[in-house]
């Protein structure tokens, strides 16, 4: 009967594309009106409501079959779902060798990976970068059944430093701060436990790792122990704009035999390493500010190892260090959207002090244009321009202009 078919089709379409259609039993209300007006018989009304219930029950399943924008979704025999993802960052640099060397065009990153869910709450992620040797970046399996205890094993970033744990596709400046590169342990092979309490007011992550970098076996029988805690005391609206306040703290300890700490000035470091960090961030509408202080204490066991020539614009420490060497630094980054969620102005001040060496500080000014609306939780295709003014004690001040086109899928 045409009336039954028409209304069944109407409810089916609305059930797939609207998440609120039946929230207030509007289907029953409409059917009752049509029943009173004689458009539907009692038997037809019961039949229509039955079909509505079937659509409602399967609506979430139908919606989950729609792939996310920019991702390839495959479901079937080998798991619940698998998503192909990647990004390419094409850079240009001009001026002095402040951050990453002389004038050049560069493929900064070219990454591709797959992530998915094998069974309920058992997930994985594998990511490669064609610009690195070896190319493997992340290779992890994680269990996410409980909010308060998620287990992760494999190769991934150790829980240390807000800036290091923020994806390079989402930090406001083109490069991370020198102090972050020098002190944060980055990707490691190991195991960690993480979780959150009180609706996200407190988050934690702690792990045990080899401690001597990615794609590397342990250099001794000791491990790197690292942990991070984040407190979010406020997340609400202020004057009609969403605001958020967070504080974080990190700690890490390790006994090393042959660890390269290039940006601290040493190769094949042997001794005790302790790292600390405090950070905070505040955002309100289009404005945000964040900062971080990091410190590394090195206690040498015998010879200091080989002196390194850092890849970035930082000095090596003295050839014969004291028994203890302390290096520390900080950065402060501020940003503001001139055009809402599209055009962003960024400024950053950073400082790194290597004991026995020279102080390095830099000012960065930048603009980011997002081709899709900016979201804190989603990575975006964007164009970036940075001007960097660097100053090293005992050397001339230097300037560099950088540009990047970033494409994600």
């Amino acid at each position: 009967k045409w009336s039954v078919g028409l209304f069944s089709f109407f409810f089916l379409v609305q059930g797939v594309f609207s998440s609120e259609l039946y929230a207030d039993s509007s289907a029953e209300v409409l059917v009752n009106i049509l029943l009173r007006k004689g458009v539907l018989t009692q038997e037809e009304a019961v039949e229509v409501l039955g079909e509505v219930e079937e659509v409602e029950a399967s609506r979430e399943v139908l919606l989950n079959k729609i792939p996310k924008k920019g991702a390839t979704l495959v479901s079937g025999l080998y798991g619940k779902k698998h998503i192909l993802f990647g990004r390419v960052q094409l850079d240009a640099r001009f001026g002095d060798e402040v951050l990453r060397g002389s004038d050049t065009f560069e493929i900064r990153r070219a990454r591709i990976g797959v992530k998915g869910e094998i069974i309920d709450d058992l997930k994985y992620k594998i990511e490669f970068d064609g610009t690195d040797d070896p190319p493997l970046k992340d290779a992890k399996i994680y269990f996410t059944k409980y909010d308060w205890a998620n287990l992760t094993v494999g190769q991934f970033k150790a829980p240390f430093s807000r800036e290091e744990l923020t994806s390079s596709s989402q930090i406001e400046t083109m490069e991370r701060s020198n102090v972050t590169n020098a002190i944060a342990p980055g990707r490691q092979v190991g195991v960690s436990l993480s979780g959150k309490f009180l609706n996200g007011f407190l988050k934690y992550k702690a792990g045990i790792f080899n401690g001597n970098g990615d794609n590397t076996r342990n250099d001794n029988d000791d491990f790197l122990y690292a942990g991070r805690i984040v407190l979010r005391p406020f997340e609400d609206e202020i004057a009609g704009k969403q605001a958020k306040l967070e504080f974080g703290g990190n700690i890490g300890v390790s006994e090393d035999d042959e660890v390269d700490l290039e940006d601290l000035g040493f190769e094949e470091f042997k001794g005790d390493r302790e790292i600390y960090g405090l950070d905070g961030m505040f955002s309100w509408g289009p404005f945000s500010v964040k900062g971080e202080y990091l410190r590394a204490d090195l206690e040498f066991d015998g010879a200091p190892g080989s002196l390194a020539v850092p890849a970035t614009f930082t000095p090596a420490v003295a050839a014969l260090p004291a028994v203890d060497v302390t290096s520390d630094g900080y950065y402060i980054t501020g940003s503001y959207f001139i055009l809402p969620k599209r055009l962003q102005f960024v400024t950053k001040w950073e400082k790194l002090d290597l004991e026995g060496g020279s102080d390095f500080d830099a000012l960065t000014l930048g603009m980011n244009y997002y081709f899709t609306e900016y979201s804190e939780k989603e990575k975006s295709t964007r164009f970036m321009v940075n001007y960097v003014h660097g100053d090293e004690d005992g050397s001339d001040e230097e300037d560099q202009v950088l540009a990047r086109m970033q494409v994600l899928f």
Side-chain angles (χ1 to χ4, degrees):
K1 299 180 180 179
W2 71 268
S3 58
V4 175
L6 178 61
F7 284 105
S8 296
F9 177 79
F10 172 79
F11 288 125
L12 176 61
V13 172
Q14 294 299 314
V16 173
F17 292 100
S18 172
S19 61
E20 300 178 354
L21 178 62
Y22 305 118
D24 59 355
S25 299
S26 56
E28 289 87 342
V29 172
L30 288 172
V31 170
N32 284 330
I33 292 173
L34 295 173
L35 185 62
R36 289 198 303 269
K37 292 182 174 293
V39 177
L40 296 176
T41 66
Q42 186 68 38
E43 181 180 349
E44 290 171 338
V46 171
E47 184 178 350
V48 169
L49 288 175
E51 293 187 25
V52 168
E53 290 178 1
E54 291 179 3
V55 171
E56 177 69 7
S58 61
R59 177 166 53 88
E60 292 300 324
V61 176
L62 293 172
L63 288 174
N64 287 334
K65 290 183 178 180
I66 301 175
K68 295 180 179 179
K69 182 180 180 181
T72 300
L73 180 65
V74 180
S75 300
L77 179 63
Y78 301 101
K80 295 184 65 177
K81 60 182 179 180
H82 311 281
I83 299 174
L84 182 69
F85 65 93
R87 71 177 181 266
V88 178
Q89 294 175 339
L90 306 176
D91 286 10
R93 298 193 304 272
F94 305 98
D96 301 312
E97 299 184 11
V98 180
L99 289 183
R100 286 187 54 83
S102 57
D103 295 1
T104 188
F105 295 106
E106 178 186 19
I107 301 176
R108 183 67 176 91
R109 295 177 179 89
R111 295 191 181 177
I112 189 168
V114 61
K115 58 185 177 181
E117 189 171 9
I118 302 299
I119 59 175
D120 287 345
D121 305 312
L122 183 62
K123 303 177 182 179
Y124 72 93
K125 178 184 177 183
I126 302 174
E127 185 176 7
F128 297 88
D129 192 328
T131 65
D132 277 358
D133 184 20
L136 180 64
K137 304 303 289 184
D138 286 328
K140 63 181 180 178
I141 299 172
Y142 45 112
F143 182 68
T144 59
K145 184 176 180 60
Y146 306 106
D147 286 344
W148 52 272
N150 295 328
L151 179 67
T152 305
V153 298
Q155 178 168 290
F156 50 95
K157 288 187 177 181
F160 190 95
S161 170
R162 172 183 290 273
E163 189 176 43
E164 177 64 30
L165 294 174
T166 303
S167 170
S168 62
S169 64
Q170 288 184 290
I171 57 175
E172 290 93 341
T173 54
M174 286 178 54
E175 300 294 339
R176 292 187 176 92
S177 306
N178 273 306
V179 64
T180 303
N181 293 330
I183 296 176
R187 284 182 170 86
Q188 303 285 337
V189 180
V191 57
S192 74
L193 193 68
S194 62
K196 60 182 179 180
F197 298 93
L198 304 175
N199 295 321
F201 169 78
L202 185 150
K203 298 180 181 179
Y204 79 92
K205 190 170 187 179
I208 305 173
F209 305 89
N210 285 344
N212 48 326
D214 56 351
N215 299 289
T216 309
R217 294 171 60 90
N218 199 357
D219 58 348
N220 55 20
D221 293 331
D222 297 306
F223 295 94
L224 165 69
Y225 301 88
R228 174 172 172 80
I229 292 179
V230 177
L231 300 178
R232 183 179 294 179
F234 181 83
E235 186 174 16
D236 204 345
E237 285 192 357
I238 298 178
K241 298 179 180 179
Q242 192 67 24
K244 180 171 64 175
L245 176 66
E246 283 187 352
F247 299 102
N250 328 274
I251 187 171
V253 294
S254 178
E255 293 184 20
D256 305 312
D257 279 352
E258 294 182 359
V259 173
D260 290 338
L261 303 177
E262 184 178 276
D263 287 336
L264 289 177
F266 296 100
E267 295 177 346
E268 299 180 355
F269 165 75
K270 182 178 182 180
D272 295 334
R273 175 174 37 142
E274 298 178 358
I275 51 178
Y276 310 92
L278 293 172
D279 60 83
M281 70 84 64
F282 173 74
S283 64
W284 178 56
F287 168 79
S288 74
V289 61
K290 60 192 66 174
E292 187 166 11
Y293 169 79
L294 299 175
R295 168 175 167 161
D297 293 336
L298 306 180
E299 183 176 347
F300 291 83
D301 182 8
S306 304
L307 286 176
V309 179
T312 54
F313 185 62
T314 55
V317 298
L320 296 175
V323 176
D324 297 323
V325 169
T326 296
S327 298
D328 64 353
Y330 64 88
Y331 70 85
I332 300 174
T333 301
S335 64
Y336 184 83
F337 275 98
I338 302 171
L339 298 177
K341 298 185 178 182
R342 291 287 186 175
L343 185 61
Q344 182 185 42
F345 170 76
V346 179
T347 181
K348 178 170 73 174
W349 173 259
E350 62 176 287
K351 185 176 182 64
L352 174 61
D353 180 14
L354 301 183
E355 185 173 349
S358 301
D359 291 349
F360 167 78
D361 52 60
L363 171 67
T364 300
L365 302 175
M367 297 288 287
N368 301 324
Y369 179 77
Y370 295 83
F371 291 90
T372 57
E373 286 194 352
Y374 168 82
S375 170
E376 183 180 351
K377 296 182 180 180
E378 295 183 7
K379 302 172 184 178
S380 300
T381 294
R382 61 181 176 174
F383 178 73
M384 311 175 71
V385 176
N386 284 183
Y387 161 74
V388 183
H389 177 77
D391 183 13
E392 176 192 5
D393 287 353
S395 300
D396 294 334
E397 298 181 9
E398 299 192 349
D399 300 276
Q400 191 172 58
V401 176
L402 307 94
R404 170 176 295 168
M405 182 65 201
Q406 171 178 287
V407 177
L408 299 98
F409 65 89

